[in-house]
Amino acid sequence: MPFFLSCFFIIFEFQKTNYMYEFIQKFHSGWAYLALLLLVIAVVNSFIGKNSKKEFTPKDRKIALFGLIGTHTQLLVGLILYFVSPLGLASLGQMKDASLRLTSLEHPLINIIAIVFITIGWSKHKKADSSESKFKSIAVFYGIGLLLILSRLPWSLWF
């Protein structure tokens, strides 16, 4: 049996037992804390850098990059979870129930938009010439992304 077929059957059996869903759900929930922390650090660092008029250093670039990587990883895991979760795609048409609407539509859609803003901020900072404009791009776009993410978190599931 070819290797890729063996992998498919292993994943299929893993999915059948529901362990994959539980693992992905817990990973998505746990990684969210790290992704938010990295994003907050990137936004605060950029605001401090912009207001203190300091030079944009490789350390500042890495802080912003870690925020970008953390949120993109969270998006990838979230998209996988969306398609294997009973609260995701399967409950998309139930708009009257606020909690189902949050998990099936609002949370994924707004978070995708937020990550688009974060990605735009990363791209704009790379094209900027001055340190002030680099910090400003990251602060504004990452900040908008952070606010959007915070607005659509399922807070009842966190606390």
Side-chain angles (χ1 to χ4, degrees):
M1 179 179 297
F3 176 74
F4 69 92
L5 282 177
S6 300
C7 292
F8 173 78
F9 285 118
I10 290 170
I11 291 170
F12 180 75
E13 286 299 317
F14 193 60
Q15 184 179 9
K16 262 179 44 181
T17 58
N18 207 21
Y19 292 128
M20 183 177 80
Y21 167 67
E22 290 175 12
F23 173 78
I24 293 171
Q25 183 184 31
K26 290 189 186 331
F27 184 81
H28 184 67
S29 296
W31 189 264
Y33 292 104
L34 180 61
L36 280 174
L37 178 65
L38 292 170
L39 194 55
V40 166
I41 291 170
V43 169
V44 169
N45 181 62
S46 294
F47 274 113
I48 291 171
K50 183 183 176 308
N51 292 334
S52 66
K53 301 192 186 306
K54 72 175 199 162
E55 191 67 30
F56 192 84
T57 64
K59 180 187 123 208
D60 299 313
R61 182 187 156 282
K62 288 176 187 170
I63 290 172
L65 180 62
F66 288 147
L68 179 81
I69 291 170
T71 55
H72 277 80
T73 303
Q74 182 69 358
L75 173 65
L76 179 64
V77 173
L79 288 173
I80 294 168
L81 181 63
Y82 185 75
F83 290 106
V84 299
S85 170
L87 297 176
L89 188 61
S91 62
L92 187 57
Q94 301 175 12
M95 296 296 117
K96 290 183 181 178
D97 185 349
S99 63
L100 284 178
R101 185 178 60 243
L102 175 68
T103 56
S104 68
L105 179 67
E106 294 172 358
H107 177 76
L109 180 63
I110 296 300
N111 286 334
I112 289 170
I113 293 169
I115 293 172
V116 167
F117 273 107
I118 292 166
T119 306
I120 291 170
W122 175 258
S123 296
K124 288 180 86 52
H125 113 275
K126 289 193 311 185
K127 295 176 185 170
D129 295 332
S130 68
S131 290
E132 183 179 357
S133 59
K134 288 179 183 281
F135 281 123
K136 182 178 178 183
S137 295
I138 293 170
V140 170
F141 286 97
Y142 279 43
I144 291 169
L146 177 62
L147 290 175
L148 287 172
I149 289 170
L150 291 174
S151 75
R152 291 296 114 203
L153 280 182
W155 293 105
S156 62
L157 299 176
W158 275 37
F159 299 106

